[in-house]
Amino acid sequence: MAKGKRSRTLSETENSAIKRKRPSGDNHIVDHQGEGETSTSALEVLKQAGLHLDVNNQPNELDVDPVIFQKTLSDNLRRHISYPDVVDEVISALSNHIEDPKRFCWSLMPTVELSDSELVSKKESHDSAVRLLLGVECLQAKLINLLLEKLPEISTQDDEYSVVEGQTINMARLIISQMRWLDRLVDSKQLIGKLDEILSVTPLEVQREIITCVPEILEDQDHPEIAKLLSELLNQSGELTVPILDSLTNLNIPPDLLSDIRQSVTNTLDSVELDDLPVIVKFLLQSVSKEDAPDVVQDLRMKLEFDPNFQDFSSQRSRRLSQTSRVDHSVKSRDSITLTLDTIKSTSRFQKIVADAWIKAIENANNRDNQKALDIVVMFILHGLPSKKKPVESLLRNKIRAGLFTGDLLMSTFSHHSQVLQEYFPSILALSEVLLRSAEMTISCFASAIYQQAFKAFDSYCQQEIIGSLVTHIGSGSDLEIDSSLDILSSLIHTNVDKMTTYAVFIKGVLDYLDNLSFGQIRKLYTMLSILAFASNQEGGLLQDDMHIIIRKQLSNNATKYKQMGIIGTIAIVKALNYGKESSDEPLNSDVYKQVINLLQLAQQCCSKMPEATALFMDETADVIKTSSIHPQVENWINENVTADFQDKFVIDVDAQPLPKDSPISLSLQYALDVDNEGAIGISILPLLLEHQQNATKTDSKSCSLMSLASHFRLLRTCELKQNNGRLEGIDALLGCSLIFCHDDVYSKLSSFSLSEKETVLNSLFIAINWFRELVSGFASQSDAEMKAKVIKRLQNIIDIQDILKSTLSCVPNYVPPVSTFDSVDSTLKVLAATVQPKGKGGKHKKKGESSKAVAADHACANDDTCIITQQCNNETIDKTQDLKKTQSKEEQQSVDLSTYQPYFRELDLDVFTILDTSSIIETSHDTEENTIGKETIKIEPPQLKFLLDDLSRKLDHCLVPSISKKRSFLKIGKSTKNAGFSQIDQLSSKTVAGRILQFLPSLCQHLDEVTSFFQGLLDENDGVVDGPGTEAGEAQILSQCTQLILHIIATLLSWNGFLLVENRDLLRKALSVLSRRLQTKEILATQASVCDAVSDSFKHLEGFTDLVPHLSTGVALLKVMLSVASHGDKEDFAKQIVEFTEAILQRDWLDEDGQRGKGSKHNALIHSVIKIYLANSDDRMTILESLCTTGMAELLKIDHYTHSATYPTLTKNTYPIFYRSILTELVEVVKTISPPKKTSTEQEREDKLMQWGVAVRTFHILVNLVKVFDARVNISSILKCGRQFVDIFLRLGMPLLDTVFRHHKDEVQSLLKNLQLSTRALQHICGHLKIMKDVSLTNQVPIVKKCLETFVYRVKAMLNINKCLQAFWVGNLKNRNLQGEEILSQTTVQSNDEDSDSDDAETVLEEENSDVEMEDTSDKSEITSNHGNTDEDEYSEQF
């Protein structure tokens, strides 16, 4: 009854609606009545099924469950008398019904249930009418066409959006949503065609809606077809990139098609919009497979440019933006970069192959010009992944070592992407902490750059974390971390004083660790705190009070150590008062001036009875005055109150005070340069020392004052220079005055003196050397020719006294010289000196001599593993060395190496090296009446040149960090010993030092030309004989050493990592121009030549010295200079010349200073360096390796007693381990570059790779067999390590190649495997030999070697199985044998008593006879069975 009532109500409503629609006119009435009847009859079918379409702008109603409705309607339509025409009628009726936009909108909206219906479902609303009808299979296809055809109509009209119940509805989106997640698609092919048609005629927004819903509309089997359609559309329209990629991500696409799509997407990266970039990257990385990941990531890395222009990725459009729009565009760009990096991070986190591919792509970028900011950013991202921390750290270290990641690249990354990088700050900080702990200076410097750039770029929270991290490093106790952290903090304070003042409380906490810091580190700390307290614009009163309290306490302490700390702090405060002021004319505040003077007076008073503290006070004050970092008022006070008593303490009038004759040591005036002058003065050295000896038990400050002699003079001449505009005429008498010294015959009688007298004589020698060194440092910068001549003479005086020391030091065992560097801990220096024992008779002294040689070898091959090799191979020549020692003269046995005593000599200023530019000086001597009585030509002689070059070389090695890796020692040799003698140069920046050295570079080049001219003259005299007469003379030896030192200095300068920064490119251009101008005939200004041209000309200039190399060490030094020059250009342009020179070095028979063939650890280290450079720069390294094995080593085998190779004379029995290890190591590196084949690889590419592996295996086979002849322990160690690596790489990279080429190249593969099987058999023999030798350290490597050999066996079996040739594989029992192939008897006994198979090994064989037939024919199994029981090793080709 209820149903009837509803039916009548609905009918009345519909009839009234039809009546309202009828227009006037009979004809029209008839027509519309016909249509109305048809529509009514069609809609009646829907009503009967339970769906009531409303016409009054109300939701459609459903009075049954949706499933029942769809089933009922489907049955009614199929049973209808006019089926299938009734389907068209229903679709036509629906089309008429939805002509009205509002009715159409309601048809797409959810239906509601009738209020009085009894429904099975309890939901108040259901799917829309259209979606319910799409569930009916017979209506679905035509209804979909109807809906899709509505999309163009809606797009061209104004009814694209409809308002329903106050809500704006996107009609296109609503229409498309009706087709999502249908239970079944009746005709998907037709739907795809219709979608293609509609996409071509609809607007962009509608296309995006359609494409986005495609994965939810179509079924899985239709995904490949629609993917092709979308791929074509992607190439046609870049505006649809994002929705297309979104859809493709959710489609199941065949790998081949997906690869094509990825390639087309990658090609669009250059022109893509910034908004689309994150989606594109996401698609490329999420859809990648393991095989395609490396290529996809490599393409992505090349296309993504995270450089400064990245924010103008769509540059043509961005140039037209207004200023406000540019700001918005910049923000938009930053957001796009952030989203892109987040995509990389998420895909790397959840897909291991993506993270590995990024690491591999960055690792393969070996060209310096190919490094990108994206590389650094991605490494920061990957370091945040727990599983990738170690690989990222290792890769970053390797990049820094190779000089690929530079400070400029890091600076560019942080400056242009600071806000993006701040999101990864925890990872950046953690990575910086790890790198800062590195023992390699280059890596530590890069970590310092990260800290500094992060502090500048990030916000205050990050800055606070950075300061906290650096303070933590200072408290770590590691000198390396402390020095690096203090340098970073100091740099931050100098560049950001106001910002750093906020964090002063953190830095002040470092004062708790003063006892763990060296004086140099304390100086840095006090300087920073003083700047923050006294020089910053912000209030630093509290910090000032704390500084005054701490320093006064330290000055009042009786311990020398703390008193020295107080002195350093006092001078730091004095220096900070004038920090950052452009003019020093402003008077100091009276209160501040009073505090400073009181502090200086307290320091002077407290250290008056401690010579060490007094000397340190004067040194520190002199350094501050020299750098113009002190206020003039304070400087005047120092000059009046500190330096005035120098003459009273140390200077005497020679004429007025005759020498005492009752001295226990005979005295005389020595080293006087102003002999004829009246009123001559002298420095009382020996009398003051004797006085100190006599009053040793008394407290006499004067007797100890000689300790401050050099420091006092340094302060005196510094003040004189400041007050007289750089002239020292007022104190020039000190340069030529004599020394009251011991007589010359004292040294020959020294052995008869008492111990105290011996020590007094030795002390006087050290004090005299330091006095002369200070004179040279002070007067070297004077332009007066007479002073220059005297300075050169003083240099010779230093050399002469050092020669005396070398012969006299052996008279006093355990002698400790007087301290000369007062910013070092005394105890540390004493321990160092105590370790230096003079040579004498007895076995212990011989061992000590051997130890000193080992130290020298360690210094020569600092980062090479050659030290271990040379130490082992030199054990065989110890007896011969001892025999040679017995034949040495007595003087040579007593000679002591002074390099160990270097910390006890005063540091030379950089101004000293201006002497290098001094030409010949003619000095005229006069009598008492000023008449000329003679002339003398004075110039720098080879010994003086060597002395200067040696000191300059040490300075550069200490302060200029090379661009390649250089390790610093972690050995506890003392906190200040490594910096002893470098305190002044440590206060200068590396850039300042490099700039000063550039001033001396022309002079160095001039000396280099003169020295090489000398050797060219010797070569001409000897008719081209390289090692002819005269080359071993004393002068030639010194000049050879000078050549080596000059080349080393130039190489150190050009290898400085600071040249990698843009700000230092001008310095690099000047340095290269100095070298290049010596080649050019025309004068060209340094600023006019480009760096590339200067590099090319400099290299050509250096090539001219290759034929004039006197010794191997000089050749290696020249080679390093050439490499340093080439590193600033394209190395490939100079590789050929470098290879030719290194080959010439290897093919020359080098002689040492004694005219004997070179040998020893140092010689081996040099050879190792040459081999590495030779192999690294060769175009075809594999051919070179094969040539060395087949030619050089083969010749060594043919010669009796293995003297040397004819082709490579440097290959001798002593150097064989070096060659052997180098070739093995390089062979392993070469085979790593033979990548496995890809699916797309051509047949020719596979053949080339197979040929490369064939050459590598043959070379490896030769190297393995050489162990049978050269069976030294070091060679066995090399082959065990490198042999295992070679086999392991072959398994990973070579076997996949054999899997693919076996069918077409059976003979080549079989030959390759046989050679490798013979090599692995030899490795097994070596393992058995080690069991007999019972060498524990080598035996420990046997298990991993055998495991690798076993893996090889089964991998070959797998390869044969893949190629259906498993019958060619068989297993047998193998006997253990030694290196000579002899059976190990213990195994025979065991096998005869008990057939234990645990010691038997399996083996694979490819049959030697009729192998091709056997691989294809598997029917003959009897032969395999019989061979299985055979125990003859000769029938086997592999063992493990």
Side-chain angles (χ1 to χ4, degrees), residues 1351-1369:
T1351 306
F1352 169 69
V1353 170
Y1354 291 107
R1355 185 61 182 85
V1356 172
K1357 181 178 180 180
M1359 185 268 292
L1360 295 174
N1361 188 34
I1362 292 173
N1363 291 275
K1364 310 301 181 182
C1365 298
L1366 190 58
Q1367 291 79 6
F1369 180 88

Side-chain angles (χ1 to χ4, degrees), residues 1071-1086:
L1072 294 173
S1073 298
V1074 172
L1075 296 175
S1076 61
R1077 281 204 304 267
R1078 309 194 73 82
L1079 179 69
Q1080 298 167 351
T1081 56
K1082 297 181 180 180
E1083 294 184 358
I1084 300 177
L1085 295 178

Side-chain angles (χ1 to χ4, degrees), residues 1017-1208:
L1018 282 181
L1019 192 64
D1020 295 339
E1021 291 178 3
N1022 297 325
D1023 297 330
V1025 178
V1026 179
D1027 298 317
T1031 56
E1032 308 302 332
E1035 183 181 6
Q1037 294 297 330
I1038 295 178
L1039 289 177
S1040 175
Q1041 295 173 6
C1042 291
T1043 306
Q1044 180 183 350
L1045 288 171
I1046 293 174
L1047 293 173
H1048 177 73
I1049 290 170
I1050 298 175
T1052 305
L1053 176 63
L1054 295 179
S1055 300
W1056 176 47
N1057 64 351
F1059 284 141
L1060 301 178
L1061 299 176
V1062 174
E1063 62 187 29
N1064 297 327
R1065 298 297 285 179
D1066 289 338
L1067 288 177
L1068 174 62
R1069 185 181 294 107
K1070 292 178 181 178
L1072 294 173
S1073 298
V1074 172
L1075 296 175
S1076 61
R1077 281 204 304 267
R1078 309 194 73 82
L1079 179 69
Q1080 298 167 351
T1081 56
K1082 297 181 180 180
E1083 294 184 358
I1084 300 177
L1085 295 178
T1087 55
Q1088 294 178 349
S1090 65
V1091 174
C1092 294
D1093 294 338
V1095 168
S1096 179
D1097 292 339
S1098 300
F1099 196 88
K1100 290 179 182 178
H1101 174 64
L1102 293 172
E1103 281 188 281
F1105 299 109
T1106 55
D1107 296 331
L1108 302 173
V1109 177
H1111 293 96
L1112 176 61
S1113 57
T1114 310
V1116 174
L1118 177 59
L1119 187 59
K1120 291 181 178 179
V1121 177
M1122 298 172 70
L1123 289 173
S1124 301
V1125 172
S1127 66
H1128 297 291
D1130 190 354
K1131 287 186 177 181
E1132 296 181 357
D1133 295 340
F1134 310 104
K1136 182 179 179 181
Q1137 295 91 323
I1138 292 175
V1139 170
E1140 291 176 354
F1141 183 42
T1142 52
E1143 189 174 18
I1145 293 177
L1146 295 175
Q1147 293 179 352
R1148 177 174 166 182
D1149 192 6
W1150 296 97
L1151 302 180
D1152 57 16
E1153 297 178 355
D1154 299 329
Q1156 303 296 323
R1157 179 173 289 109
K1159 58 183 177 180
S1161 59
K1162 185 177 180 180
H1163 177 79
N1164 291 351
L1166 296 174
I1167 293 295
H1168 187 216
S1169 301
V1170 176
I1171 296 173
K1172 288 176 62 178
I1173 297 172
Y1174 177 49
L1175 296 175
N1177 291 274
S1178 301
D1179 292 335
D1180 191 355
R1181 291 185 290 174
M1182 190 71 74
T1183 303
I1184 296 295
L1185 292 173
E1186 187 179 21
S1187 175
L1188 285 172
C1189 293
T1190 57
T1191 304
M1193 293 189 173
E1195 291 174 348
L1196 190 63
L1197 290 174
K1198 295 177 183 179
I1199 300 174
D1200 295 338
H1201 305 296
Y1202 316 116
T1203 305
H1204 64 84
S1205 168
T1207 306
Y1208 300 96

